[in-house]
Amino acid sequence: MKALYCRKNRYLIALAVILLFLTPITKCVSQVSTQTFEETVETLDFKPLNKTTSTQYCCDKNNNTWLKITVPNDLLNKPLIFQFISAHIDKYSIYVKKNDTWIKVPGNTDLNGGKITPQFQENHFITSTPTIYFKSKTPYVHNGNYILVERSDFRAIVINNMMGLGIFYALFLVSVVTNFGLYFIFKEKVTLIYCLLISTIICIALLEDGFIYFLNDGSYDRMLVLTFLIPASCLLFSLFIYKFYEIETLSKKVKYYYITLISSFLALGIIYYYTQNILYFGILINGSIGTTLITIILGLIYCKHNLSVKIISYSFSILALAALGYYLSIYFGIHALSFIDMSVLRVILGVCFITTTYAILLKVKNLKTDHEYLRTELAHLKANQAKKIYDDLKQKEVTLILFSEQHEIIPTDTNNVLSDKKEEISYNDILRDKYCCTDREIDVILGIWDGLSNQEIAEKLSISLSTTKHHVSNAYIKLDVKSRSQALILKDQLT
């Protein structure tokens, strides 16, 4: 026991000696780091960030972005708050000169050393010199769009920003409630898909506006969350377009294209998760937004004459291009696109919410009108069918009387087949010669006369539903009719 006690004492003495020697070593390290900072600043070649500000910027050998910020004289020796209004500019460093020594200001800490949880990263400090330095790994500095104000004025700025955000998210809630209401009234899946789409977009907006940073105290991987949300929103948009444009059949090439895209997104997400290489993240984000643009182009090719389609296509194409420029400026340091910030994207998103909700409302109204029209047309078809059955029964009675008088048996089936062929031949000739109908329009008209719906005609002729509707519209114009019932009346007149 005594030996064990002595051994413990030796360990304690050794630890005390190590701590004693570490104290001057720590001081030396801090002095070296201070000297390194001053030497680094002296070697930097700062250039004006833009013509409207005195802020200067440069990049060092380690690809760090530096800003040289001038503090106004009226803010010297006062408690200040520095903040970038962007969730993408965090984990940066602010260097302030205090007592002839450059110090690094801790983030999200007040002047008394207490921890705070802001919407974006904040730095609280007091300086007596008119120059401070900013250092960050990200190249995105957004034209120096930072806040540097006295602490007493910061609250008013935050309240103004919150009011603008409140209007945007209120518009989002109105859009969601409206579309959910349309879904429960008309049971159209397209409205439910749209609600899911804008929900993912709003999650991205909450991430970009710093609310998730505020709720989680920054303890999350923002880029990893975006690798899931952005491809999910783009694929939901493709599904929304597919349902809204009523594209019944897609070519095998387009299906393979989307299957390949989904597989590529998953592969890039997994690779980025393990490598943390920003190149894979950039390919994933830009590829997802590019998919949205391709989907819009395909939709315009299928339904280019539809007003609702044009409204949605043009509004979301502007949104996709703006989002593409936004992320290019952030992750690839393209300063020419840095004017596209979240305020610009929120305006475009608000326009998209309004226009798309209006387009969906137009579509639902048209569907309601089509349902009423089909109901009326079905009633006419039933009446005509009943009349036709009555005429056929009457004709059969007359035929039976003739058979009984002449004592002859006529093969009814053969006569019906021959009469159908003659009738079809005569109909083809009349439609081609008198009404100048094409072969495809004749096939569509014969399908209408047989009581087939547009979908059934499309399947019978192996053409798309939109093509069938186009031929039906042209046939109505040439026959000078406005509905199926009028087309059936015309058939009776031809016979």
Side-chain angles (χ1 to χ4, degrees), residues 386-424:
K387 182 178 180 299
K388 185 177 180 181
I389 292 173
Y390 173 77
D391 293 339
D392 290 343
L393 290 174
K394 190 174 181 180
Q395 183 66 31
K396 288 181 180 179
E397 291 179 359
V398 174
T399 304
L400 289 173
I401 294 173
L402 292 175
F403 288 165
S404 61
E405 289 178 355
Q406 297 177 3
H407 302 284
E408 295 180 358
I409 300 176
I410 301 175
T412 308
D413 295 338
T414 305
N415 287 339
N416 287 336
V417 172
L418 292 175
S419 63
D420 289 341
K421 289 184 177 180
K422 291 179 180 179
E423 184 179 5
E424 185 176 352

Side-chain angles (χ1 to χ4, degrees), residues 74-293:
D74 58 342
L75 296 181
L76 297 177
N77 298 314
K78 294 181 179 180
L80 305 180
I81 295 180
F82 180 91
Q83 184 187 75
F84 263 98
I85 311 177
S86 174
H88 296 277
I89 305 179
D90 59 352
K91 300 178 182 178
Y92 57 81
S93 301
I94 294 292
Y95 295 93
V96 177
K97 199 169 187 179
K98 186 176 182 181
N99 297 329
D100 296 330
T101 304
W102 288 99
I103 63 171
K104 180 179 177 182
V105 180
N108 298 337
T109 304
D110 60 17
L111 293 176
N112 298 322
K115 285 293 183 181
I116 58 176
T117 306
Q119 182 182 358
F120 304 107
Q121 179 176 329
E122 293 180 11
N123 294 83
H124 295 236
F125 59 90
I126 297 175
T127 180
S128 58
T129 57
T131 302
I132 62 175
Y133 291 94
F134 167 94
K135 176 185 176 183
S136 176
K137 286 288 185 182
T138 176
Y140 178 67
V141 294
H142 191 63
N143 280 345
N145 187 20
Y146 55 82
I147 296 175
L148 179 60
V149 295
E150 192 174 351
R151 186 171 58 182
S152 58
D153 298 331
F154 185 73
R155 184 183 296 273
I157 296 174
V158 172
I159 292 175
N160 290 333
N161 291 336
M162 287 298 178
M163 290 178 63
L165 293 176
I167 295 172
F168 168 71
Y169 287 106
L171 183 63
F172 153 70
L173 289 176
V174 170
S175 181
V176 170
V177 171
T178 302
N179 284 279
F180 263 118
L182 292 175
Y183 172 73
F184 285 112
I185 294 173
F186 299 101
K187 301 299 180 182
E188 288 293 331
K189 292 182 179 179
V190 66
T191 57
L192 185 60
I193 295 172
Y194 178 66
C195 288
L196 294 175
L197 169 63
I198 59 177
S199 297
T200 57
I201 293 176
I202 289 302
C203 288
I204 297 173
L206 288 171
L207 186 71
E208 298 289 347
D209 286 329
F211 289 109
I212 298 179
Y213 180 89
F214 173 77
L215 295 174
N216 292 274
D217 195 19
S219 58
Y220 70 99
D221 190 337
R222 179 186 62 254
M223 295 173 66
L224 189 61
V225 176
L226 288 175
T227 56
F228 168 76
L229 287 177
I230 292 180
S233 63
C234 293
L235 293 174
L236 276 173
F237 177 79
S238 299
L239 182 61
F240 167 70
I241 292 297
Y242 174 78
K243 291 293 184 181
F244 187 87
Y245 292 0
E246 294 183 347
I247 304 173
E248 298 295 335
T249 56
L250 287 176
S251 63
K252 290 184 178 180
K253 292 182 179 179
V254 176
K255 289 181 180 179
Y256 291 150
Y257 168 74
Y258 279 106
I259 292 173
T260 304
L261 278 179
I262 295 173
S263 303
S264 302
F265 292 161
L266 290 174
L268 286 171
I270 294 171
I271 293 173
Y272 171 73
Y273 176 77
Y274 284 104
T275 63
Q276 296 295 311
N277 190 336
I278 193 173
L279 177 62
Y280 298 111
F281 175 81
I283 295 173
L284 175 62
I285 300 303
N286 295 330
S288 301
I289 299 174
T291 302
T292 302
L293 293 172

Side-chain angles (χ1 to χ4, degrees), residues 292-351:
T292 302
L293 293 172
I294 294 174
T295 302
I296 292 172
I297 294 172
L298 290 175
L300 287 174
I301 291 174
Y302 273 92
C303 307
K304 58 184 177 181
H305 299 294
N306 193 316
L307 177 61
S308 300
V309 169
K310 289 182 178 180
I311 291 174
I312 293 178
S313 298
Y314 294 149
S315 59
F316 272 94
S317 61
I318 295 173
L319 175 62
L321 291 172
L324 188 63
Y326 176 70
Y327 286 110
L328 284 174
S329 66
I330 289 174
Y331 294 107
F332 295 95
I334 303 178
H335 295 282
L337 299 174
S338 60
F339 68 94
I340 306 175
D341 59 357
M342 274 306 298
S343 60
V344 174
L345 288 178
R346 277 193 294 268
V347 172
I348 299 174
L349 275 172
V351 173

